[in-house]
Amino acid sequence: MLDIKITLTENPKPRPDEANLGFGRHFTDHMFVMNYTRGTGWHDPRIVPYGPISMDPAAMVLHYAQETFEGMKAYRRDDGKVQLFRPEANGARMQRSNRRVSMPEIPVDDFVQAVKAIVEVDQDWVPQAKDASLYIRPMCIATQPSVGVSASSTYLFIVLLSPSGSYYPEGVSPVKIFVEDEYVRAIKGGTGEAKTGGNYAASLAGQEKARSLGYSQVMWLDGIHRKYIEEIGTTNVIFKIDGEIITPPLEGTILPGITRDSALHLMRHWGMKVSERNISIDDLVEAHENGTLEEIFAVGTAAVVSPVGELFYKGKVLTINDFKTGEVTQKVYDTLTGIQWGRLKDEFNWIQQV
Ligand SMILES: *Cc1c(COP(=O)(O)O)cnc(C)c1O
């Protein structure tokens, strides 16, 4: 158990308009902070007023991106209570990410305790509006001042909170995706399965290119053959082809999404045939041509589920399911959001009250 010291702000911020929150633009009154020092371990867990942190310009995170982060949400139920979705899964994933970039792990119980504590302090910031939520951003950064390349001896663990609006204010609607065959996101042996900043810096060029061509996101192909499908932007991807649910397997290059895991669990529970196996872009084009490509949807914490209505690959436009949200896509969305916001029974023990 962490002994968390709480210092409340004397200058609460004006609240943003709930009807116009957007994503990740507003931050609450407080943040959780904890230090790590080699030899001592994690120490000084505290909740302090939200604000800038001071760092030496030689802090290692600024030079070599030794950092990890997480993304999760707090949801307000209709009865006003606030709850989290599988927070220990985020804690365990942060441990794996930290190991990959040679950072000390935070015990999962301490991670969950820290998240609950900061959400409790700022619980009034959890939005009431339908499908709006409090986005939670835990992060670990290397702070030792040194420009030699090695693992830092000091770190900060910080948890920020950002009230965010519904991803789909007008209801779930399909997106257009650009299949990227020049840039790649990850290769085996690299850091693709870790939530670490460098992966995202490297992904921006592809994302900018897709946006400039009128697509909302990139579909990444594998780094060796530029052939096997990996992910869409910062979400995992799921296909329904001839009745079978197919998603790329977790073999080191793909971020193991908690939404992915939850969606697969639900679809298996519903008795669907679910396969985690490699699927190539050529298989996808062929399935589209012979009419068996039924649905494509992206899954991640921010949007929960995004139906894909169009793919662009090497000059060719593939329209998926007449640019309509598929039946399974909608059912996964309704069930996950139903459990997350407490409108449906929590059959799988995924919910924790704050
Ligand atoms: C965070 C993330 C996901 C989705 O993970 P969730 O736990 O479902 O939010 C997928 N891909 C990438 C690259 C990510 O960073």
Side-chain angles (χ1 to χ4, degrees):
M1 280 288 279
L2 300 173
D3 185 14
I4 304 173
K5 187 166 168 264
I6 301 179
T7 309
L8 297 179
T9 182
E10 287 172 2
N11 301 299
K13 299 177 188 177
R15 296 301 166 91
D17 173 14
E18 267 204 18
N20 191 19
L21 286 173
F23 178 78
R25 292 195 277 114
H26 303 280
F27 297 93
T28 64
D29 282 327
H30 301 90
M31 59 186 184
F32 178 91
V33 183
M34 178 163 71
N35 294 71
Y36 178 91
T37 309
R38 194 177 286 158
T40 308
W42 291 104
H43 59 93
D44 289 311
R46 57 201 183 273
I47 287 172
V48 294
Y50 184 94
I53 53 171
S54 121
M55 259 194 306
D56 194 294
M60 290 169 118
V61 62
L62 301 176
H63 301 268
Y64 309 120
Q66 196 191 7
E67 82 91 43
T68 58
F69 68 96
E70 269 303 322
M72 52 204 291
K73 287 173 170 176
Y75 308 86
R76 190 177 295 284
R77 302 159 50 102
D78 290 340
D79 64 9
K81 291 197 181 112
V82 173
Q83 60 187 28
L84 302 172
F85 182 74
R86 306 186 67 184
E88 66 300 324
N90 293 92
R93 185 169 66 189
M94 183 165 238
Q95 290 193 319
R96 298 196 300 273
S97 298
N98 284 17
R99 275 203 291 278
R100 180 63 186 82
V101 297
S102 304
M103 292 169 71
E105 291 164 34
I106 297 163
V108 172
D109 287 351
D110 292 351
F111 173 96
V112 173
Q113 190 195 343
V115 167
K116 284 185 177 169
I118 184 66
V119 171
E120 193 178 355
V121 166
D122 278 339
Q123 59 180 292
D124 286 354
W125 285 82
V126 183
Q128 317 268 354
K130 186 169 183 294
D131 293 344
S133 61
L134 186 67
Y135 185 76
I136 305 169
R137 168 51 56 87
M139 61 194 255
C140 275
I141 56 173
T143 53
Q144 184 190 343
S146 167
V147 291
V149 179
S150 65
S152 177
S153 58
T154 58
Y155 298 90
L156 277 178
F157 172 58
I158 301 176
V159 184
L160 310 178
L161 303 175
S162 174
S164 294
S166 168
Y167 218 81
Y168 298 108
E170 272 116 49
V172 178
S173 57
V175 293
K176 292 163 70 174
I177 301 295
F178 183 84
V179 182
E180 175 58 56
D181 58 359
E182 177 191 0
Y183 300 114
V184 298
R185 197 191 86 90
I187 49 156
K188 280 185 187 158
T191 56
E193 65 185 349
K195 244 177 148 68
T196 179
N199 290 341
Y200 302 82
S203 74
L204 296 175
Q207 185 182 312
E208 297 276 294
K209 182 168 110 188
R211 296 246 161 107
S212 72
L213 295 168
Y215 289 83
S216 67
Q217 263 306 343
V218 168
M219 180 183 273
W220 299 108
L221 300 179
D222 78 275
I224 294 172
H225 311 95
R226 306 273 200 289
K227 181 174 165 190
Y228 298 103
I229 291 153
E230 301 227 308
E231 302 194 59
I232 292 182
T234 57
T235 54
N236 297 114
V237 60
I238 297 176
F239 304 97
K240 180 164 175 269
I241 299 177
D242 203 13
E244 180 189 11
I245 298 295
I246 304 169
T247 195
L250 303 176
E251 291 176 344
T253 55
I254 292 174
L255 203 291
I258 293 157
T259 321
R260 172 190 183 278
D261 185 72
S262 308
L264 298 185
H265 188 90
L266 284 177
M267 291 185 288
R268 287 187 174 119
H269 180 74
W270 296 333
M272 302 183 71
K273 180 173 183 217
V274 175
S275 309
E276 294 176 64
R277 63 174 164 87
N278 282 307
I279 172 164
S280 71
I281 184 70
D282 304 322
D283 293 342
L284 207 63
V285 171
E286 193 189 314
H288 181 259
E289 274 164 13
N290 67 27
T292 54
L293 176 53
E294 294 157 356
E295 298 182 37
I296 306 181
F297 56 106
V299 286
T301 296
V304 192
V305 171
S306 287
V308 174
E310 180 180 317
L311 285 182
F312 182 90
Y313 176 59
K314 287 196 195 294
K316 231 171 143 171
V317 171
L318 280 65
T319 302
I320 318 297
N321 194 34
D322 296 328
F323 211 84
K324 290 198 300 269
T325 301
E327 206 179 303
V328 175
T329 307
Q330 187 70 48
K331 189 172 172 195
V332 170
Y333 179 81
D334 291 342
T335 310
L336 278 179
T337 55
I339 295 171
Q340 288 166 336
W341 272 271
R343 298 186 289 261
L344 291 179
K345 191 166 158 268
D346 173 27
E347 266 187 88
F348 310 105
N349 252 317
W350 283 342
I351 293 302
Q352 287 195 31
Q353 303 294 324
V354 168

